[in-house]
Amino acid sequence: MRELAGIGALLAGLWLAAAEAGFRSPESLVRNVYAHYGEGAPELSKGLPRDAVTARQFFDPPLRKAWSTPRVEPYDFLVQSPSWKLGPVAIEVVRKQYDKTYVAANFDNHGRRVVLNFVLVNGPEGWLITDVESPHDSLRMFLEQFRN
């Protein structure tokens, strides 16, 4: 009986670890990114944190280190500006292609229209960001350009 309880605890721990990373749907992932750019609780109004825990929750393994490495950037890529006052964020799955799902996020930031395409993958950890594309750049290229 103790062995079964131990196995159950182990499986519960693995499930919780998997639940800490990733999200259950592509839309919920993008919605949770922009929850960090609101005007509410201070911890949810400073942009998406650059720590390892947040990187593990939101990004696939190749992008995690790049996201959480300290650097000086001219603006926050996810809002395309050094500051933000976002209007409503419209989120829509625009394409599913092989193992990737493309989700468009449309919003106004200080009255300027912003359109970003999130490239997401679904794996054992749930939905994670593998890249974000703007009309001129991608998050991967942006982070590479400003690495220390």
Side-chain angles (χ1 to χ4, degrees):
M1 192 67 152
R2 244 187 257 172
E3 292 172 10
L4 286 176
I7 291 172
L10 176 65
L11 290 175
L14 290 174
W15 180 80
L16 286 173
E20 289 175 4
F23 292 88
R24 290 184 180 218
S25 74
E27 296 90 347
S28 70
L29 170 61
V30 176
R31 193 173 306 111
N32 276 279
V33 165
Y34 288 105
H36 291 273
Y37 293 89
E39 292 183 13
E43 66 274 7
L44 295 177
S45 301
K46 297 179 181 174
L48 192 64
R50 295 301 186 110
D51 57 45
V53 172
T54 302
R56 177 172 161 63
Q57 184 180 13
F58 284 89
F59 298 101
D60 71 347
L63 195 51
R64 287 177 188 161
K65 184 176 181 182
W67 180 257
S68 57
T69 300
R71 69 182 52 75
V72 177
E73 300 163 346
Y75 61 93
D76 186 321
F77 188 87
L78 297 174
V79 292
Q80 298 287 294
S81 176
S83 63
W84 53 85
K85 183 173 174 85
L86 304 185
V89 180
I91 300 166
E92 177 185 8
V93 174
V94 293
R95 183 171 75 232
K96 294 181 180 183
Q97 185 176 23
Y98 304 109
D99 63 336
K100 294 179 181 158
T101 297
Y102 295 78
V103 177
N106 297 289
F107 55 90
D108 286 339
N109 184 9
H110 291 292
R112 192 177 124 251
R113 182 173 156 82
V114 177
V115 178
L116 296 174
N117 287 311
F118 285 74
V119 184
L120 310 177
V121 293
N122 189 12
E125 298 175 315
W127 288 95
L128 297 168
I129 300 168
T130 191
D131 206 356
V132 181
E133 301 168 337
S134 75
H136 310 287
D137 204 356
S138 79
L139 179 60
R140 285 184 184 277
M141 292 187 319
F142 178 79
L143 295 173
E144 178 66 25
Q145 179 181 1
F146 293 104
R147 72 180 175 148
N148 292 341

